[in-house]
Amino acid sequence: ELYFHGHETPARLERARQAAETAVRLQPELGDAHSALGLFYYFCLQDFERALLELDEARKRSPNDGNVIFYTGLVKRRQGKLEEAIELQKQATVFDPRNPEIWANLGRSYRGQRDFQIAREMFDRALAVSPDEIQFVAEKAETYRAEGDLGAAENLLRGKDLATNQVLLGEIIACLVSQRRFGEAVETLSKALAQNKGNSSRLRIANDKSWLGGL
């Protein structure tokens, strides 16, 4: 997951490969081992077909493992198979109903179908489990913006701490830009850069500055 989320070094790739392959070698009948190898193919190589083969092996051995079903749905979504992805993610909620990431990803999948109302219901389910996860609020706001209801989006975002989440900041800026409130967008982004000075990665600071330059 670290490799997938911006830490793409050859050393980390090799460590992930060795860990997953060793797990399968040590216990080839263990569902978790095949799940780990499937996630290596998904997160690190983006080899979706091989990922599905390993996840299928994992599911044969651990049919009630909600994470295996959930990740299978994520791979299907990457392949553009939204209907299959949604059905799998719904199945995963039966086995792991207290996992906010499953509900949030259902919201993202319905958002991909432009079924905004159901997407918001899924984000609400995620927030019911994890009320402090500000990214879910930002993603729910994005569904309103996608519909053109900028007032509803802005109401959800009002008063939120800019420094808490990059997705939140991006959605606040997008709402302001969509309303052509460029001065406020520049002021908001400049404030966020000042808040995050010394506390953010160089990549995030560079990203924020690129937004500022675009405005």
Side-chain angles (χ1 to χ4, degrees):
E1 289 192 39
L2 282 170
Y3 185 88
F4 184 71
H5 291 289
H7 301 276
E8 299 161 348
T9 66
R12 180 165 279 123
L13 180 69
E14 188 55 29
R15 285 198 298 271
R17 181 194 302 277
Q18 288 179 6
E21 290 179 350
T22 300
V24 174
R25 187 177 70 253
L26 291 175
Q27 285 192 265
E29 296 303 313
L30 184 67
D32 281 348
H34 288 279
S35 178
L37 189 55
L39 294 183
F40 168 74
Y41 288 133
Y42 170 49
F43 283 122
C44 296
L45 301 187
Q46 296 191 38
D47 186 337
F48 303 136
E49 290 302 332
R50 290 176 78 183
L52 288 174
L53 286 173
E54 291 299 329
L55 288 168
D56 186 55
E57 287 297 319
R59 194 170 182 186
K60 289 175 184 175
R61 292 162 172 77
S62 304
N64 296 331
D65 188 331
N67 273 329
V68 173
I69 301 169
F70 167 56
Y71 281 116
T72 302
L74 291 189
V75 177
K76 292 285 187 179
R77 189 172 67 192
R78 285 270 169 174
Q79 293 179 316
K81 300 172 182 177
L82 275 176
E83 292 289 349
E84 289 183 63
I86 287 172
E87 185 55 37
L88 285 160
Q89 288 165 348
K90 286 165 68 175
Q91 289 176 33
T93 66
V94 175
F95 295 104
D96 196 3
R98 298 288 298 169
N99 187 333
E101 277 300 320
I102 298 177
W103 293 110
N105 271 282
L106 261 172
R108 293 161 193 153
S109 296
Y110 280 115
R111 166 66 180 85
Q113 284 192 321
R114 300 186 65 79
D115 198 335
F116 301 119
Q117 180 58 44
I118 297 182
R120 287 192 286 271
E121 291 172 11
M122 297 302 103
F123 286 123
D124 284 340
R125 294 292 293 266
L127 284 163
V129 178
S130 186
D132 296 327
E133 185 55 71
I134 197 67
Q135 178 164 328
F136 299 158
V137 177
E139 291 183 273
K140 180 181 176 182
E142 195 275 337
T143 66
Y144 283 115
R145 183 167 60 87
E147 286 185 312
D149 191 346
L150 298 177
E154 195 168 11
N155 284 338
L156 270 180
L157 300 170
R158 187 170 288 115
K160 299 295 186 294
D161 184 357
L162 299 174
T164 56
N165 185 273
Q166 185 81 346
V167 175
L168 170 70
L169 176 61
E171 188 54 35
I172 291 172
I173 298 302
C175 281
L176 291 171
V177 169
S178 296
Q179 298 173 77
R180 303 186 68 78
R181 291 157 58 185
F182 301 116
E184 288 179 63
V186 169
E187 181 181 351
T188 299
L189 194 48
S190 298
K191 180 181 176 182
L193 276 165
Q195 280 184 270
N196 291 325
K197 188 176 182 180
N199 297 316
S200 295
S201 68
R202 287 180 295 176
L203 180 62
R204 174 166 179 178
I205 292 170
N207 190 49
D208 290 352
K209 285 185 176 180
S210 72
W211 287 355
L212 190 58
L215 293 170

